[in-house]
Every structure is written in structure tokens, then in C-alpha cells.
Amino acid sequence: PAVTRRIEALSAYIAFKKNALVKAVHWADEFAYLHGDKVSCELELEFLIYARIMISSGKAEKWIALLQKMLALARRQDRLRSVIQIMIVLSMAYFKINKTDKGLNDFILSLQLAEPEGYLRSFVDKGEAIKNQLRQISERKDLLKGRDGLTTYIHTLLACFSKQPSADATSRPQPNKDTTIFSLPPRECDVLSLLDQGLTYAEIAVH
């Protein structure tokens, strides 16, 4: 069922964020066995988590084609937030395999799309890798010449990394346009928070 599938994916995401890569990779292997590379809107959350785990495991190059398929689908369906999320992860994959120019290009495009919307957590929740990419761009005056709005946005994002949030990134945030990890609805943010607290699937079901 979809609910169980998403809870398992979120559990793997929690493991990944806590560097419990054995558990995260085990989920990813099972997910790959069941779904292969047949991307769909319904499986986007799971595929994004899957791709991030694989990129972190040193298999970035293999999954770039999968991310490109996901990006093409999101663009055809005019899902702007999904396009931004996928492009961010795709840029991380390019950086991982030292294709820096391609990674910078996709990353700047994601920033240009996100800046008018004021999205912050779409970038900040992805951690140190994105912080490093933002720093690289901020030092490239040639890329930012004449882009004052984008420059300010990058500085705002970098400032977010230096702040200690009042609540954990996996707890339910106050509503705005960009509050949820991987664009999750509020109930799934609750599930993510409960998983992070160590509750079992059965315990979560009664909440």
C-alpha cells in the first residue's frame, strides 16, 4: 500500500540523515528490486530519497539518468516544486562525480526557479553538500554578475545554515510555501517526526 511504502521510505530517509547507511541502502536495494527505474509522480518522494542514498553511497553516475527522467516528467506536468527538488539532487550527483560545471549549471537554474518563490528549506534541509555548493557559487563573481536578486538569495540561504532552528528539521514546521521536506503534506511531516523519535509503524498508526 502507498502509505506503508511512504513510511518505509521516510524511515530510510531518517536512517540516511543519521548516517545509518546500512539500513538506508538496504531499503534502497529493496525499492530498486520492486520498482526498477519506472519513474512516476506517485513515486517521486521515494525516488528522490532513493537517489540521494545512492549518490551518497558513491553511485551518483548511475542514477543521473534516472534523475533526468524524473525531471523531464515533472517539467511535462508543470510541477515547479518537483522540478526544483529534482534539479537540486541532480546537481549534487554531478558534484559528486566532479562534473562541477554541469552541477553548477543545474544548481543555478534551481536557484533561479526557487528565488521568486522564496524557498529556503528545499535547499537547507539537504545539508552540508548544498552549503558547499552555495559557497562555490557565491565565490563565482562571473556567474553572479548582474544577478543582484540571486546573489541576495544565495546569501540568505547561507545565513540559514548558520542559524540553529528552534525545532528539528523533521518536526512539523509552521506553514508557509516551503516548509516541508521533499514537499511532504503535514501528516507525513508528523510521520517523519515520529520515526525520528523512534516509534514503530504500529505506534505511529494509532497517532
Side-chain angles (χ1 to χ4, degrees):
V3 173
T4 300
R5 186 186 70 233
R6 290 172 80 84
I7 288 175
E8 289 174 348
L10 292 170
S11 181
Y13 179 75
I14 287 288
F16 170 73
K17 294 288 280 186
K18 292 182 174 181
N19 291 318
L21 292 182
V22 172
K23 178 179 178 180
V25 170
H26 177 72
W27 169 83
D29 288 342
E30 287 192 347
F31 180 78
Y33 176 77
L34 291 172
H35 300 285
D37 60 355
K38 296 179 181 178
V39 300
S40 68
C41 178
E42 292 76 16
L43 289 172
E44 184 176 288
L45 167 71
E46 292 88 335
F47 269 114
L48 279 173
I49 293 174
Y50 173 49
R52 286 199 63 194
I53 292 169
M54 292 295 100
I55 291 168
S56 179
S57 301
K59 302 176 182 178
E61 191 160 13
K62 182 177 180 181
W63 304 111
I64 284 174
L66 172 67
L67 289 164
Q68 289 172 335
K69 286 175 63 176
M70 291 173 63
L71 180 59
L73 178 62
R75 280 174 166 161
R76 285 198 303 271
Q77 297 174 344
D78 279 332
R79 293 184 286 112
L80 176 62
R81 182 176 293 180
S82 293
V83 168
I84 293 168
Q85 293 277 8
I86 295 164
M87 290 191 76
I88 295 170
V89 178
L90 188 55
S91 75
M92 294 169 73
Y94 282 122
F95 271 89
K96 189 75 173 180
I97 60 172
N98 296 317
K99 291 188 176 181
T100 307
D101 287 345
K102 181 61 177 170
L104 282 171
N105 182 63
D106 282 356
F107 195 47
I108 288 173
L109 287 174
S110 72
L111 288 164
Q112 289 174 322
L113 291 172
E115 186 265 332
E117 306 298 325
Y119 291 165
L120 299 176
R121 290 190 59 172
S122 291
F123 296 89
V124 176
D125 281 340
K126 291 178 178 61
E128 198 69 19
I130 289 300
K131 181 180 178 180
N132 291 336
Q133 290 178 204
L134 287 166
R135 281 178 173 165
Q136 286 192 47
I137 291 178
S138 71
E139 294 168 359
R140 292 284 301 272
K141 305 303 180 185
D142 57 317
L143 295 176
L144 296 176
K145 186 177 181 180
R147 297 177 173 180
D148 293 343
L150 186 60
T151 301
T152 300
Y153 182 50
I154 289 169
H155 290 160
T156 300
L157 288 167
L158 284 169
C160 288
F161 281 97
S162 64
K163 295 176 182 177
Q164 293 297 321
S166 57
D168 186 89
T170 56
S171 63
R172 182 194 283 190
Q174 295 301 311
N176 66 42
K177 291 190 296 183
D178 186 40
T179 56
T180 54
I181 298 169
F182 290 124
S183 305
L184 298 177
R187 173 54 186 161
E188 291 186 3
C189 281
D190 284 341
V191 169
L192 193 58
S193 178
L194 294 170
L195 285 168
D196 194 35
Q197 295 170 36
L199 273 68
T200 66
Y201 296 161
E203 290 168 331
I204 291 171
V206 301
H207 271 257

